[in-house]
Amino acid sequence: MSSDSPVAAPGVRLDIWLWAARFYKTRSLAKQAVETGKVDVAGQRAKPSRIVRVGDELKVVRGEDTYGIRVEGLSEQRGPAPVAQALYRESDESRQRREAAAATRRAERTGYQAPLSKPDKRARRLIRALGDIDAM
């Protein structure tokens, strides 16, 4: 055995890590997110098979939220939420941006009040009729 051979740092596939860290519910959803460009590693688009190592910087877009995170741990198994949250650390700037965006979304919908019950038969017919106005 030669001592000058490079020792590969341990790592995990990106899609598996995202699933284990509970950013996505299934590995196939994580893979799809990576393929569609919703996940960047060190500012570059990545493939699902990319190896993630401790210390990597990720940007994950999930719905309307964008997470700027740093990988703190590796796992190939999906565990409880506290264990999954220990796998990464979100930057303060990212957390503040997400909270501000959530507050803005809450403020935009303050005037909306959801109906207390489902529409009855008469209301459903009126709703259907309103939808058919464009067809006339």
Side-chain angles (χ1 to χ4, degrees):
M1 297 187 102
S2 69
S3 62
D4 57 356
S5 65
V7 177
V12 178
R13 280 179 59 112
L14 178 59
D15 57 347
I16 293 174
W17 187 87
L18 289 168
W19 167 75
R22 294 180 166 257
F23 279 98
Y24 298 98
K25 211 167 200 164
T26 63
R27 183 173 158 228
S28 61
L29 286 175
K31 180 180 176 188
Q32 183 180 13
V34 174
E35 288 173 344
T36 57
K38 290 180 172 41
V39 178
D40 292 342
V41 179
Q44 297 179 341
R45 258 181 103 157
K47 292 182 178 180
S49 60
R50 174 169 175 141
I51 300 299
V52 176
R53 293 180 173 83
V54 173
D56 284 351
E57 300 285 332
L58 302 177
K59 185 180 109 185
V60 180
V61 177
R62 196 176 72 180
E64 296 178 358
D65 294 331
T66 302
Y67 297 83
I69 59 171
R70 177 181 167 89
V71 177
E72 297 286 325
L74 300 175
S75 177
E76 291 186 355
Q77 292 183 334
R78 188 175 172 106
V83 173
Q85 290 169 352
L87 295 178
Y88 62 92
R89 181 168 315 281
E90 184 177 9
S91 67
D92 292 333
E93 175 186 316
S94 169
R95 182 175 292 117
Q96 290 170 355
R97 266 197 320 257
R98 275 190 320 103
E99 289 171 355
T104 303
R105 287 193 302 267
R106 271 192 301 273
E108 289 174 351
R109 68 170 187 256
T110 55
Y112 173 74
Q113 186 174 9
L116 298 175
S117 63
K118 292 179 11 179
D120 60 0
K121 187 174 186 177
R122 181 171 178 265
R124 284 195 307 271
R125 286 183 178 164
L126 288 171
I127 292 168
R128 204 171 301 121
L130 286 173
D132 292 341
I133 288 176
D134 297 332
M136 292 182 175

